[in-house]
């Protein structure tokens, strides 16, 4: 229902009288909630809005939001909770527990199949209580009671038992990562550990390992924001995926039986290596004093040492991007992340009590290496390279999807030219009489033609390529040494240097936006302090969604600018404020 963006028709404030009526309706529909619970959800004084929306399926829905977070939506006089509400009250609905790899299939629009359900009771006709067909239920992931989806039961609990746990179990209505979730503050599911018996915990760990090994390409992969960055989250329409998507629970079960007969491909091996290095890093290397920890530093300084002699190459994995891999681990309950600024994420919490770490044995050689310094002087000065890229977006996806590219994929200008050329040749669009012209098929015409050019059916080769590039989203790929590049979409904010006056007319140099360029602000601060022999500190700005600032005693703009240009190889066009450097002292003539 919310896999594609919806259209907002109107938005108004909710009156006090309407809030009282809404509380009464919620209490009647959800008896597990108390009056105090409903009052907290629908407060009297806090800002509350009513938003009328129209979905891509042409459903007219009313959203109720508190503090800009949707808490319920109304359809046909029935109220449905959002994931934000279920995170506050995870027991308000019957829960169906499943494996983390199944989440990817649910996110693409598949129903939850009964073979993919992990029951928490002995099989019996009452294993799901008095569940009836059409009742609202939530979906959770093994190891975390926090709901990640809302759906309707497609069978009664007794019928599910009588079917030997085969077939469709839950039709998903709303899921973490869809357009309704994006309408709120895009927060991540909280970690609510399951209380399991000793025997059940051992069985759960054993089954999780089995499913992970059988699903090399989808193991622990939850999302596009990028959540992510949520920004990169790929949402696929439910109807479009019906024919191609294998039912979630059945696919996990089938792959489990066939995995022993097939050799692992390189993608599965890289996924396993990433997962192993991640688990070793958070179990034995990351300390609470290291948090918050930038995700780029986590990959280089904490995960890479557990793969000696082999580079952790995200492009050779099924995740393609480190942000997607970490979002999967957030969903599994290993870590918590927070966006410090646009495009810059940090790990804020780690959960070493997770069941997945219980039987993990960290290699002895790597454990010895953890006592060594995590970063040497030479590593601080990894030169950065900046490359202009163009990202596949909604306007150009139809042109590139046959080449296996998804939305958000970054391409060089040469790659774009080659892919457009291949598309023209594959579809025989080169004009027969004039080889310099291209015949426009419906896809090309829809992408590159202007409204006033509706009747145009051919165009010059170079003009076609230039217009396709113009429709794509521009970005910059920033890479340090052999590390995977970080893609920054849109305009990249420059590093800002400015001088400010403090108490007693003392000057300080403020450096902003270093983290956007993959620079560790703590290491940068120590380097400046050691080189200039002055006070230097890292502070968080008052403005939200801004990265950390470096404050340096005195006017040090000349030194900082030279350091960024000479050592970090940052182009001058990405640095502002150099004109505020003090003028060089002139020697007096005798």
């Amino acid at each position: 229902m919310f896999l594609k963006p919806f259209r907002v028709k109107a938005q108004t404030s909710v009156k006090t009288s309407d809030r009282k009526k809404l509380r009464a309706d919620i209490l009647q529909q959800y008896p597990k909630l108390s009056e105090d619970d409903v009052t907290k959800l629908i407060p009297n004084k806090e800002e509350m809005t009513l938003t009328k929306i129209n979905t891509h399926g042409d459903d007219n829905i009313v959203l109720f939001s508190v503090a800009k977070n949707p808490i319920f939506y109304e359809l046909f006089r029935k109220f449905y909770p959002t994931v934000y509400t279920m995170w506050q009250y995870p027991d308000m609905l019957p829960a169906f527990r499943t494996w983390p790899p199944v989440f990817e299939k649910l996110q693409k629009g598949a129903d939850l199949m009964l073979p993919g359900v992990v029951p928490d009771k002995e099989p019996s006709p009452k294993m799901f209580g008095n569940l009836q067909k059409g009742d609202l239920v939530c979906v959770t992931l093994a190891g975390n009671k926090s709901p990640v989806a809302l759906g309707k039961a497609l069978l009664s609990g007794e019928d599910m038992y009588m079917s030997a746990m085969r077939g469709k179990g839950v039709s998903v209505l709303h899921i973490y990562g869809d357009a309704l979730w994006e309408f709120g503050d895009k927060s991540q599911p909280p970690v609510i550990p399951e209380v399991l018996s000793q025997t059940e915990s051992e069985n759960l760990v054993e089954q999780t390992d089995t499913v992970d090994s059988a699903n090399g390409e989808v193991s622990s992969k939850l999302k596009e924001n990028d959540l992510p960055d949520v920004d990169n989250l790929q949402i696929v329409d439910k109807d479009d995926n019906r024919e191609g998507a294998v039912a979630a629970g059945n696919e996990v079960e089938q792959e489990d039986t066939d995995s022993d007969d097939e050799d692992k491909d390189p993608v599965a091996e890289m996924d396993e290596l990433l997962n192993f290095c991640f688990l070793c890093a958070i179990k034995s290397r990351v300390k609470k004093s290291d948090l918050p920890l930038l995700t780029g530093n986590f990959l280089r300084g904490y995960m890479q040492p557990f793969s000696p002699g082999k580079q952790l190459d995200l492009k050779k994995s099924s995740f393609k991007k480190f942000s997607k891999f970490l979002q999967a681990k957030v969903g599994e309950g290993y870590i918590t992340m927070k966006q410090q600024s646009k495009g810059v994420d940090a790990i804020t919490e780690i959960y070493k009590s997770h069941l997945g770490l219980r039987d993990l044995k960290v290699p002895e050689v790597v454990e010895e290496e953890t006592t060594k310094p995590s970063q040497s002087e030479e590593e601080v000065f990894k030169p950065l390279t900046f490359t202009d890229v163009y990202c596949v977006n909604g306007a150009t996806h139809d042109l590139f999807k046959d080449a296996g590219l998804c939305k958000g994929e970054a391409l060089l200008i040469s790659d774009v030219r080659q892919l457009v050329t291949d598309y023209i040749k594959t579809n025989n669009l080169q004009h027969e009489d004039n080889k310099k012209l291209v015949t426009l098929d419906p896809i090309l015409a829809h992408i590159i033609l202007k409204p006033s050019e509706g009747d145009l059916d051919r165009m010059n080769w170079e003009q076609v390529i230039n217009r396709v590039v113009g429709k794509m989203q521009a970005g910059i790929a920033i890479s340090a040494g052999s590390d995977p590049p970080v893609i920054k979409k849109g305009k990249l904010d420059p590093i800002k240097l400015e001088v400010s006056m403090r108490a007693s007319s003392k000057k300080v140099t403020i450096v902003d936006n270093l983290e956007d360029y993959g620079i560790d602000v703590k290491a940068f601060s120590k380097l400046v302090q050691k080189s200039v022999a002055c006070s230097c500190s890292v502070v968080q700005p008052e403005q939200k969604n801004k990265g950390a600032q470096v404050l340096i005693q005195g006017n040090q703009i000349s030194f900082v600018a030279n350091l960024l240009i000479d050592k970090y190889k940052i182009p001058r066009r990405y640095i502002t404020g150099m004109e505020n450097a003090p003028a060089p002292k002139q020697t007096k003539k005798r």
Side-chain angles (χ1 to χ4, degrees):
M1 182 176 293
F2 301 104
L3 294 185
K4 288 187 177 180
F6 50 76
R7 181 170 60 90
V8 176
K9 298 169 62 178
Q11 190 171 44
T12 58
S13 298
V14 180
K15 300 178 181 178
T16 304
S17 57
D18 294 332
R19 299 190 191 202
K20 292 181 179 179
K21 185 177 183 304
L22 181 60
R23 288 194 199 102
D25 293 337
I26 298 298
L27 276 173
Q28 182 179 1
Q29 188 173 338
Y30 298 98
K32 287 189 176 182
L33 295 178
S34 65
E35 291 188 9
D36 291 338
D37 294 337
V38 178
T39 303
K40 290 179 181 179
L41 283 172
I42 308 172
N44 286 320
K45 297 183 179 181
E46 197 165 350
E47 178 188 3
M48 186 172 183
T49 58
L50 180 152
T51 307
K52 295 181 179 180
I53 66 171
N54 182 260
T55 67
H56 71 280
D58 203 26
D59 292 320
N60 292 316
I61 294 177
V62 177
L63 295 182
F64 293 93
S65 303
V66 174
K68 299 182 180 180
N69 264 358
I71 55 171
F72 286 95
Y73 68 92
E74 180 185 5
L75 180 64
F76 301 122
R77 296 186 179 181
K78 189 170 183 179
F79 295 92
Y80 300 83
T82 66
V83 290
Y84 295 104
T85 299
M86 293 188 290
W87 291 342
Q88 298 182 55
Y89 303 97
D91 297 324
M92 67 182 297
L93 293 173
F96 279 67
R97 182 172 61 181
T98 187
W99 303 111
V102 177
F103 182 86
E104 181 194 18
K105 302 302 176 184
L106 300 181
Q107 196 182 41
K108 292 181 179 178
D111 293 328
L112 176 61
M113 308 300 290
L114 291 176
V117 175
V118 185
D120 54 1
K121 297 180 180 179
E122 291 295 328
S124 69
K126 295 298 182 181
M127 63 187 299
F128 295 111
N130 296 320
L131 183 70
Q132 300 298 316
K133 181 179 179 180
D135 285 355
L136 288 180
V137 298
C138 65
V139 179
T140 65
L141 301 181
N144 188 1
K145 290 178 61 178
S146 181
V148 293
L150 168 75
K152 283 187 177 181
L154 297 176
L155 295 172
S156 66
E158 187 174 351
D159 289 341
M160 291 181 184
Y161 171 76
M162 297 303 294
S163 67
M165 296 299 288
R166 299 285 177 179
K168 296 180 179 180
V170 177
S171 174
V172 177
L173 303 176
H174 160 50
I175 190 167
Y176 162 61
D178 63 9
L180 180 56
W181 169 82
E182 290 184 344
F183 193 70
D185 61 10
K186 301 181 182 180
S187 57
Q188 298 165 356
V191 177
I192 308 175
E194 290 184 297
V195 180
L196 305 174
S197 64
Q198 182 72 15
T199 304
E200 191 176 6
S201 298
E202 293 175 356
N203 293 337
L204 183 58
V205 173
E206 182 180 351
Q207 293 178 47
T208 303
D209 294 339
T210 302
V211 174
D212 285 346
S213 63
N215 292 274
E217 292 192 8
V218 299
S219 172
S220 68
K221 182 178 179 182
L222 298 184
K223 293 208 343 160
E224 98 164 257
N225 232 177
D226 226 259
L227 171 209
D229 180 308
V230 172
D231 297 339
N232 295 319
L233 182 63
Q234 300 299 327
I235 301 297
V236 186
D237 184 38
K238 185 172 184 176
D239 295 329
D240 294 340
N241 268 279
R242 284 292 172 176
E243 297 181 2
V246 181
N250 289 344
E251 179 173 352
V252 172
E253 184 182 43
Q254 182 65 33
E255 290 183 357
D256 187 37
T257 59
D258 295 340
S259 60
D260 293 337
D261 300 330
E262 299 178 0
D263 294 331
K264 294 180 181 178
D265 61 358
V267 174
E269 290 183 357
M270 182 55 67
D271 283 352
E272 288 188 5
L273 180 60
L274 284 169
N275 186 63
F276 173 75
C277 294
F278 171 84
L279 296 179
C280 290
I282 64 172
K283 182 173 183 178
S284 66
R285 195 174 183 89
V286 181
K287 302 177 182 178
K288 286 190 176 181
S289 59
D290 297 331
L291 303 176
L293 179 61
L294 292 179
T295 55
N297 296 335
F298 176 67
L299 174 63
R300 295 189 296 268
Y302 293 82
M303 286 179 58
Q304 184 60 54
F306 291 92
S307 178
K310 187 172 183 179
Q311 182 71 25
L312 295 178
D313 192 346
L314 270 299
K315 288 188 176 181
K316 294 181 180 179
S317 71
S318 61
F319 301 95
K320 303 302 181 185
K321 296 181 179 179
F322 192 48
S323 58
K324 291 184 178 180
F325 173 78
L326 291 180
Q327 288 294 345
K329 296 306 176 186
V330 170
E332 290 179 29
Y334 286 103
I335 57 174
T336 300
M337 293 201 325
K338 183 179 180 180
Q339 187 179 36
Q340 290 195 342
S341 61
K342 186 177 180 181
V344 179
D345 294 328
I347 299 173
T348 56
E349 292 288 341
I350 58 174
Y351 302 97
K352 296 190 177 185
S353 60
H354 196 283
L355 291 174
L357 300 174
R358 189 170 187 176
D359 299 324
L360 177 69
K361 294 182 179 180
V362 181
E364 295 181 1
V365 175
V366 179
E367 288 179 344
E368 293 176 0
E369 292 180 355
T370 58
T371 60
K372 299 179 181 179
S374 60
Q375 197 172 30
S376 65
E377 295 258 343
E378 291 76 16
E379 289 176 325
V380 174
F381 299 126
K382 279 187 176 179
L384 301 177
T385 58
F386 298 80
T387 307
D388 292 329
V389 295
Y390 299 88
C391 301
V392 179
N393 52 11
T396 57
H397 181 239
D398 291 340
L399 180 64
F400 297 108
K401 64 181 180 181
D402 290 340
L405 298 179
C406 302
K407 293 180 182 178
E409 292 280 354
L411 303 171
L412 298 174
I413 184 66
S414 58
D415 296 333
V416 177
R417 181 180 295 274
Q418 184 61 47
L419 288 170
V420 174
T421 301
D422 293 343
Y423 177 86
I424 294 172
K425 291 182 178 179
T426 302
N427 293 277
N428 297 320
L429 299 180
Q430 192 171 11
H431 198 271
E432 295 180 357
D433 298 332
N434 189 348
K435 300 298 183 180
K436 294 182 179 181
L437 296 179
V438 175
T439 302
L440 303 181
D441 66 350
I443 292 179
L444 276 176
H446 178 72
I447 293 174
I448 66 176
L449 286 184
K450 301 176 182 178
S452 59
E453 300 173 334
D455 298 332
L456 193 63
D457 61 350
R458 66 190 65 177
M459 190 176 290
N460 183 275
W461 272 80
E462 197 65 27
Q463 195 174 6
V464 169
I465 295 173
N466 290 338
R467 289 202 179 187
V468 169
V469 171
K471 286 288 185 177
M472 301 177 73
Q473 184 177 16
I476 297 174
I478 305 175
S479 58
S482 58
D483 295 336
V486 177
I487 306 299
K488 301 290 185 182
K489 296 181 180 179
K491 185 179 179 181
L492 184 65
D493 292 333
I495 295 176
K496 185 179 179 182
L497 309 179
E498 62 177 336
V499 177
S500 177
M501 300 297 294
R502 290 293 191 263
S504 303
S505 300
K506 293 182 178 179
K507 295 181 179 180
V508 293
T509 301
I510 304 175
V511 187
D512 276 314
N513 302 328
L514 285 175
E515 292 176 329
D516 291 350
Y517 293 79
I519 298 176
D520 187 342
V521 289
K522 292 182 180 179
F524 184 86
S525 174
K526 290 180 180 178
L527 177 62
V528 174
Q529 184 177 6
K530 182 178 178 181
S531 302
V532 189
C534 65
S535 175
C536 189
S537 60
V538 178
V539 298
Q540 292 295 333
E542 296 180 358
Q543 186 177 354
K544 293 183 178 180
N545 298 325
K546 292 288 289 183
Q549 295 177 328
V550 176
L551 266 61
I552 311 169
Q553 180 184 7
N555 188 336
Q556 308 294 346
I557 288 184
S558 296
F559 173 79
V560 173
N562 292 332
L563 179 64
L564 293 172
I565 294 171
D566 298 336
K567 295 292 185 180
Y568 287 93
K569 304 301 180 184
I570 295 179
R572 288 179 177 270
R573 68 177 184 274
Y574 294 123
I575 304 174
T576 62
M578 289 189 290
E579 66 277 4
N580 297 323
K585 296 181 180 180
Q586 297 181 355
T587 57
K588 296 181 179 180
K589 295 182 180 179
R590 293 182 178 180

